[in-house]
Amino acid sequence: MNTPSIHCRIFATSLVLLLSVMTVNANAGESEFGPPMPGTGQIEWPEADLSSRMMEGAHRFVERKIAEAGRDRAKYWKYDTSSREAYEQSLEANRERLKQIIGAVDNRAAPRMERFGDDAAPALVAQTGKYRILQVRWPVLPGVDAEGLLVEPSGTAIAHVVVLPDADQTPEQLLGLEPGLESERQFARRLAEAGIELVIPVLVSRRPLETDDPQLKNSAQSNREWIYRQAFHMGRHIIGYEVQKVSAAVDWFRARHGEDARIGVVGSAEGGLIAFYAAAIDRRIDAALVSGYFASRERVWAEPIYRNVWSLLQKFGDAEIASLVLPRHLVIEHSEVPEVAGQKGDWKTPDPGDVKSEFARIVQVAAFPAPSLITGAGGAAASAGSPESLRDFVKRLCGERPLELSQEIPGDSRRAFDTAARQRRTLRQLEENVQRLVRDSEQIRNRFFLLAAMPELAEQRWTTQKNLGVHPADEFSRAARSYRERFHREAMGRFDEAVLPASPRSRKILENEKWTAYDVVLDVWPEVFAWGVLVVPKGIPEGQRRPVVVCQHGRDGVPRDTIDVESSAYNHFAARLAEQGFVTFAPHNLYRGEDRYRWLCRKANTVQATLFSFIIAQHDQILRWLDTLPFVDGNRIAFYGLSYGGETAVRVPTILEKYCLSICSGDFNQWTTKVAATDQPFSFMRTIEWEMPYWNLGQTFDYAEMAYLMVPRPFMVERGHLDLVGRDPWVAHEYAKVAWLYAQLGIADRTRIEYFQGGHSIRGEGTFEFLHRHLEWPKPDAAAAPSSP
C-alpha cells in the first residue's frame, strides 16, 4: 500500500541527484574558461550563445532602423503646393529615385501594337455588340514584348485604360473568356461595356518554375523569383519590367489618340502593385485604381521575395508613393487578395485598420482632387474591382458612365490557344533581356570605373612615366576614393549610427605551449556586438609589436573553426600562423543559421543595407581595438578569409583601409556570372542562396573592380582547381584584370594568385609566404608541427 509513495520518494531523490550532477558538470564546463586578458572585462555569456545572441541583436537593430526610417521619411519630402507644376517639380527627384530602385530605367521601343494569330488562334479573339477583343503584343525593350489582349469599343472610345490582372490570373479571366472568375469580378468586361478601350497585359506568374533539374527544383523558385533574382543583381526588377510594359502601352495610346487622350490604369493584387507604381512614375496616366495593394509597408521584408526593393523604406511607404500620383486621380480599393505562402515570404489581405491608417498619411492638398478609399461593408475588404470602385474611377477619368454588366458574354474563337506557352514566352523574354545585361556587364563596368576614374590608364595612353611605362599608383588610389565611398554606401550599405565604445570583454578559452587563445567581445551598436577569438603567441618580448592576420571563417562557421585541427577546410590556419609568430584574430561573421541570416539581409535591404553593413562596422571596431593592444602593430593588420570569408576579403578590406593586405581564398570569381547567369552550372541562380544578389552590383563592381579598391595595398587569391565555387577560367579571367592593373601601376609584385590541386579549402603555403613578405615578418627556420590545444 505504501509502494507508490516509496517510488515517488526514490524518483524525487534520484531527480535531485541528477540535477546536482548536471549543475556540477555545467559549472565545470564554465570553469574551463580562464581569466580575461589584462585591460578587459569578463565575458559572462556562455560560448554557445554568442553566435545566436549576435544574430538576435542584429535583427533587433535592423528592425529599429526600419521603424526609424518610417519616422524620418518626411525629411526627404518637401511638398511645394503653390501650383500643380510646382508640386510635381518638388517631387521629381523622388520619382526618379523610385524609377531607379525598381529598375525602370531603360529606353523603351517605339510605340506599336501588333495584332497576331493564325488559323487555330486568330487575332480576333471575340466580338460582342459593344466591343471586340484582339490578341496583341507590343514592343517594350530590346527582345521584350508585352503580350495580352486589346479591347476596342464599337464606337469612339471615351477613355483608354491599361488593366492589370493578378499575377496568377489571365487577361481572359477578367473578360469572362476563360473560367476562374464569377461575372461580378470580371471588372475588365465591365469597363469594356462602358465604351473604354483596354489593353490587358500578361504578368509573370508566381507559380513554381517549370524545370526537370533536381537542383533547380530544390531552390523552390517561382517564376517571379526567377526573374527577380537575376534582375536585381543587374539593377533591374520584375516590378520595373512590368511597369515598363504599362508605360509602353501608354506610349501607344498617346501615339494613336494624341496628348489629350484620357488614360488610366487599373490593377488587382499583384497587378495593383504594378498599377500603383506605374501611376506614380508615369505622369501621363490621369487616373489609377489600385485594388488589393495598399497598406503599411514596414514589413515588406516578410512579403514574397520578388517584392524586395532596395532602399524602399528610406523614402517610400505606400502613402509617399500615393503622393507621386497626386495631383492626378487615385482610387484605393481595400479588397481581398489571394493568399500567398512559401515564396520566401507570405502575403494575405491586409488588416483594414492598417489600410486606413496608411491612407490617412497621404499628403492632403486642398487644391488637388482628394484620393478616395473604397471598402466593403463595415470597412471590410471588398471584392476586387467592385462596382463602387469602378464607378469612382471612371467618373474621375472621363465622367459618369453606366457600368452595368450585360448578359452578352464573349466567347473565345481560338481553338488551340495555350496560355501556358504565352507565360513561358513572357518569362523567356525577360530572362534573355537580363542575360544580355549579364553578358555585356564587363564593358559596362569598365566604363563605370576604369574609363571614368583614369581614362588615360584604361586606354593605355602613357604620358607621365615615360621610361617605366607605368602610371603612378597613388594617382589611381586618389581617383578611386569616390568609388570606395560609392561601393560602401550604395552596394554594401552603411548604417548611420554612432559606434559605441568597444568596452572589451574576454576570457581565455585555449592554451598550448606556443599560444593562448581568448574569446573577445566588443560593443558596436546598442544591439550589436563583435565577437572573435584572439590567438596570442607566447614569448612576445616587452615592447615588441607584431603583425596581425585576421582569419575569417566561411558560411555557417564559427571562430574556433580556424584553429581547430579537425576542421579540414580551414587547415587550422589561424593557429598555424600564430605558431609562426603572427598575432591572429578570428572574427565571427553573421552568415550563420541559414535562412536566419538571409532574413536579416532582407530586412536590411529595405533601408539600403546588407549583411555586410553589419560586418563592415564590426570589423571597423575590431581594427580599432586591435590597434590599442601593446603587442600589435596597427599598421600591419592583414585579412585572410575562406569561402564567405573570401567574399568578405573583397568587400571589407577594400573599404576599411586599416587592413594593409587582403587574401581571398575559395571565393574569387566572376561574381556577376556566379550570381546572375542562368546557363552556368555553378550559378547561385540554381541554389537556395537567395540573399546573394546585391542591388546593381553587376553593373558596377565585380571582383576585379572590388580588388581595384585595394590599390596600392597587396592582394592575393588562393584557388583550388577542384573548388566547385567556380571554374578556373572564370577565376583566371577576373584575376587577370587585377594583375594587369597592378602591373600598369608599377606594383606587380604586390599581387599574386596561387592555384593548387585541391578543393574548397585553405592551403596555406604561398599565402603564408605572401603574408611573411608583405607584413615583413621573418619565417621560422623550419615549420614546426602544429600543436593541439
Side-chain angles (χ1 to χ4, degrees):
M1 190 166 70
N2 294 326
T3 304
S5 61
I6 293 171
H7 286 168
C8 288
R9 286 197 300 273
I10 293 172
F11 174 76
T13 303
S14 301
L15 181 60
V16 170
L17 290 171
L18 177 61
L19 290 172
S20 299
V21 170
M22 291 173 65
T23 302
V24 169
N25 287 341
N27 289 337
E30 290 297 318
S31 68
E32 292 174 4
F33 295 126
M37 293 174 56
T40 70
Q42 178 73 49
I43 297 175
E44 302 295 340
W45 302 323
E47 187 175 30
D49 287 355
L50 288 172
S51 178
S52 59
R53 279 177 180 269
M54 184 187 291
M55 180 62 71
E56 293 307 314
H59 275 274
R60 289 194 302 274
F61 175 85
V62 76
E63 286 165 10
R64 173 166 65 85
K65 285 298 179 183
I66 289 170
E68 288 175 1
R71 293 194 296 268
D72 296 345
R73 204 172 288 144
K75 68 184 180 183
Y76 297 108
W77 296 82
K78 307 300 180 186
Y79 302 101
D80 184 344
T81 59
S82 60
S83 68
R84 179 186 181 114
E85 293 73 18
Y87 177 86
E88 291 184 333
Q89 187 58 40
S90 70
L91 302 186
E92 196 58 31
N94 288 341
R95 195 186 320 277
E96 286 301 313
R97 177 63 178 173
L98 183 61
K99 285 173 65 174
Q100 289 171 5
I101 63 178
I102 65 168
V105 294
D106 296 302
N107 295 327
R108 291 186 299 277
R112 190 177 77 252
M113 188 68 66
E114 178 187 354
R115 306 169 187 180
F116 71 99
D118 54 29
D119 291 342
L124 181 60
V125 174
Q127 188 161 3
T128 73
K130 293 186 175 181
Y131 57 85
R132 62 176 185 165
I133 303 170
L134 299 160
Q135 181 174 273
V136 293
R137 57 188 171 218
W138 59 103
V140 182
L141 302 170
V144 176
D145 295 329
E147 192 170 336
L149 299 176
L150 169 66
V151 182
E152 292 183 330
S154 299
T156 301
I158 61 169
H160 317 277
V161 173
V162 182
V163 177
L164 295 149
D166 177 48
D168 286 343
Q169 294 173 339
T170 65
E172 287 78 7
Q173 287 175 317
L174 296 186
L175 290 165
L177 292 165
E178 185 178 282
L181 289 177
E182 58 270 25
S183 61
E184 287 299 313
R185 298 180 63 195
Q186 295 165 10
F187 56 86
R189 183 158 73 93
R190 199 180 290 271
L191 292 171
E193 293 195 353
I196 298 173
E197 182 179 45
L198 308 178
V199 170
I200 314 176
V202 174
L203 299 189
V204 173
S205 82
R206 61 174 77 90
R207 294 187 180 92
L209 187 67
E210 292 181 5
T211 179
D212 295 325
D213 185 307
Q215 183 190 28
L216 193 52
K217 190 172 291 186
N218 189 54
S219 71
Q221 296 184 63
S222 68
N223 289 330
R224 293 188 76 78
E225 181 184 348
W226 178 250
I227 299 300
Y228 155 80
R229 276 204 203 184
Q230 54 189 285
F232 191 88
H233 199 74
M234 303 310 298
R236 305 299 188 274
H237 204 290
I238 181 68
I239 293 172
Y241 277 123
E242 291 180 337
V243 165
Q244 289 277 57
K245 291 185 177 186
V246 174
S247 288
V250 173
D251 293 341
W252 179 74
F253 283 147
R254 277 292 188 92
R256 189 184 195 196
H257 302 292
E259 293 188 2
D260 294 331
R262 299 294 294 170
I263 297 172
V265 62
V266 176
S268 169
E270 210 71 53
L273 183 161
I274 304 304
F276 191 34
Y277 280 55
I281 284 172
D282 195 332
R283 290 165 53 185
R284 300 170 301 171
I285 294 173
D286 298 298
L289 167 55
V290 177
S291 178
Y293 185 86
F294 186 89
S296 167
R297 278 311 137 206
E298 306 311 300
R299 285 180 56 84
V300 67
W301 56 265
E303 296 179 24
I305 184 69
Y306 46 79
R307 298 272 186 87
N308 184 42
V309 175
W310 174 249
S311 78
L312 179 71
L313 296 182
Q314 279 193 326
K315 290 187 176 182
F316 304 102
D318 279 7
E320 285 76 22
I321 294 174
S323 72
L324 293 176
V325 180
L326 301 180
R328 294 163 292 133
H329 295 283
L330 175 63
V331 180
I332 303 293
E333 182 180 47
H334 173 43
S335 68
E336 297 173 346
V337 301
E339 190 161 330
V340 179
Q343 305 242 343
K344 301 173 182 73
D346 305 326
W347 189 48
K348 62 181 181 180
T349 303
D351 180 78
D354 200 20
V355 176
K356 187 176 180 180
S357 61
E358 186 70 13
F359 184 81
R361 288 202 319 107
I362 300 174
V363 62
Q364 300 295 313
V365 183
F368 300 159
S372 59
L373 174 61
I374 307 294
T375 68
S383 179
S386 65
E388 292 78 11
S389 64
L390 289 174
R391 274 195 291 270
D392 190 9
F393 167 74
V394 171
K395 179 180 178 180
R396 288 165 175 267
L397 180 62
C398 55
E400 292 193 36
R401 298 285 295 184
L403 288 170
E404 301 304 319
L405 281 174
S406 73
Q407 299 302 309
E408 191 176 8
I409 300 174
D412 197 328
S413 64
R414 297 171 297 184
R415 300 192 310 275
F417 184 72
D418 187 348
T419 56
R422 181 176 63 189
Q423 179 67 213
R424 287 192 291 272
R425 287 194 297 272
T426 299
L427 192 70
R428 185 178 64 250
Q429 286 186 356
L430 292 180
E431 179 180 343
E432 289 174 352
N433 184 272
V434 180
Q435 293 307 302
R436 187 178 300 113
L437 293 174
V438 172
R439 291 190 295 272
D440 293 346
S441 63
E442 184 172 22
Q443 295 306 315
I444 293 170
R445 291 190 302 273
N446 281 343
R447 291 194 294 271
F448 163 75
F449 197 142
L450 280 182
L451 282 171
M454 299 292 283
E456 65 274 23
L457 175 63
E459 296 170 9
Q460 301 188 37
R461 290 188 283 106
W462 317 121
T463 59
T464 53
Q465 299 286 325
K466 295 180 181 178
N467 296 328
L468 298 177
V470 297
H471 197 92
D474 58 344
E475 286 188 21
F476 180 86
S477 184
R478 282 195 297 272
R481 284 174 186 163
S482 63
Y483 290 87
R484 182 177 292 109
E485 171 61 24
R486 175 167 177 171
F487 179 62
H488 191 177
R489 183 164 292 280
E490 296 186 23
M492 298 296 100
R494 174 191 290 160
F495 290 117
D496 292 324
E497 176 96 1
V499 175
L500 296 172
S503 301
R505 288 89 76 198
S506 68
R507 61 186 169 210
K508 183 162 64 174
I509 60 170
L510 295 169
E511 185 174 20
N512 63 27
E513 67 274 15
K514 293 190 175 182
W515 47 257
T516 306
Y518 299 88
D519 266 338
V520 177
V521 168
L522 309 171
D523 289 338
V524 179
W525 295 312
E527 304 89 342
V528 177
F529 62 89
W531 161 48
V533 171
L534 180 73
V535 185
V536 183
K538 290 187 173 179
I540 300 178
E542 186 175 352
Q544 186 183 61
R545 291 183 177 271
R546 298 274 183 102
V548 180
V549 182
V550 172
C551 300
Q552 188 64 65
H553 65 74
R555 190 183 84 175
D556 233 17
V558 291
R560 283 209 195 199
D561 292 340
T562 67
I563 57 178
D564 184 358
V565 294
E566 301 300 323
S567 185
S568 58
Y570 296 100
N571 202 10
H572 48 282
F573 73 122
R576 289 168 57 206
L577 286 166
E579 289 166 3
Q580 297 195 16
F582 295 101
V583 175
T584 66
F585 188 85
H588 183 59
N589 277 0
L590 280 161
Y591 36 70
R592 187 167 187 249
E594 289 302 337
D595 279 3
R596 191 69 177 138
Y597 72 79
R598 296 190 176 104
W599 284 109
L600 178 64
C601 197
R602 273 286 303 276
K603 291 177 182 179
N605 276 187
T606 67
V607 288
Q608 195 171 329
T610 68
L611 209 59
F612 280 97
S613 306
F614 297 92
I615 293 170
I616 292 165
Q618 289 170 317
H619 278 253
D620 197 21
Q621 187 76 307
I622 289 165
L623 288 167
R624 279 195 291 269
W625 177 73
L626 287 172
D627 201 16
T628 68
L629 299 180
F631 50 85
V632 164
D633 182 348
N635 294 319
R636 291 187 291 168
I637 303 179
F639 187 97
Y640 186 0
L642 172 68
S643 192
Y644 226 133
E647 184 173 332
T648 308
V650 289
R651 286 161 174 77
V652 173
T654 52
I655 290 171
L656 300 180
E657 296 180 84
K658 184 72 173 173
Y659 279 118
C660 69
L661 174 156
S662 183
I663 300 174
C664 174
S665 179
D667 191 75
F668 197 84
N669 234 317
Q670 288 183 338
W671 193 245
T672 304
T673 304
K674 173 72 176 176
V675 172
T678 58
D679 62 346
Q680 296 296 326
F682 302 145
S683 171
F684 284 127
M685 284 299 299
R686 302 166 55 82
T687 71
I688 62 171
E689 282 92 348
W690 47 265
E691 87 288 358
M692 282 300 181
Y694 286 77
W695 175 249
N696 202 30
L697 203 63
Q699 303 251 40
T700 52
F701 296 94
D702 207 306
Y703 274 24
E705 288 75 26
M706 294 182 208
Y708 295 164
L709 299 176
M710 284 297 299
V711 170
R713 295 167 290 160
F715 176 75
M716 183 173 177
V717 174
E718 184 177 45
R719 160 73 186 170
H721 287 302
L722 307 180
D723 189 344
L724 298 183
V725 78
R727 302 169 57 209
D728 277 5
W730 295 0
V731 178
H733 176 90
E734 195 70 10
Y735 177 75
K737 294 187 283 185
V738 179
W740 176 86
L741 178 63
Y742 271 67
Q744 306 319 309
L745 299 175
I747 53 174
D749 61 331
R750 298 186 196 175
T751 189
R752 181 183 172 189
I753 188 168
E754 180 184 51
Y755 296 95
F756 63 95
Q757 186 64 13
H760 193 61
S761 62
I762 293 280
R763 186 189 191 201
E765 292 188 12
T767 52
F768 280 26
E769 293 174 2
F770 195 78
L771 289 165
H772 279 287
R773 178 156 59 93
H774 290 288
L775 294 178
E776 299 178 350
W777 183 252
K779 287 193 67 175
D781 293 336
S787 301
S788 299

